[in-house]
Amino acid sequence: MPPSGARVRTISYCKGKPSITFVRSSWEKLPTMYHIINALADLAIKEMRAGWLAETRGASDLSNQRPLS
């Protein structure tokens, strides 16, 4: 959720069990990023945690961002 001091209005919010798949690519399809996508596709997924998706309107200063661990 957005930080409490932000001027952001939440339109919709849902939680669920996420899934992710990285599709291997080639230089011809993604010339500047194929090596990154292929490295992510090679990683083993050890654990899936809860995920959420929020549709918002307004601006955020991004102070609620944090690194994934």
Side-chain angles (χ1 to χ4, degrees):
M1 296 298 295
S4 58
R7 293 182 176 219
V8 178
R9 184 172 41 113
T10 301
I11 306 300
S12 64
Y13 177 83
C14 62
K15 288 173 41 172
K17 183 173 174 121
S19 65
I20 189 166
T21 303
F22 290 98
V23 179
R24 295 188 64 79
S25 191
S26 64
W27 181 87
E28 293 81 13
K29 292 181 182 176
L30 293 171
T32 60
M33 294 180 50
Y34 79 97
H35 61 289
I36 298 168
I37 300 301
N38 291 343
L40 290 169
D42 290 339
L43 293 175
I45 298 174
K46 294 186 176 187
E47 176 185 8
M48 293 300 289
R49 297 184 181 192
W52 57 271
L53 174 66
E55 179 183 357
T56 61
R57 297 286 187 267
S60 171
D61 61 4
L62 303 178
S63 63
N64 62 332
Q65 301 299 304
R66 63 181 176 81
L68 297 175
S69 55

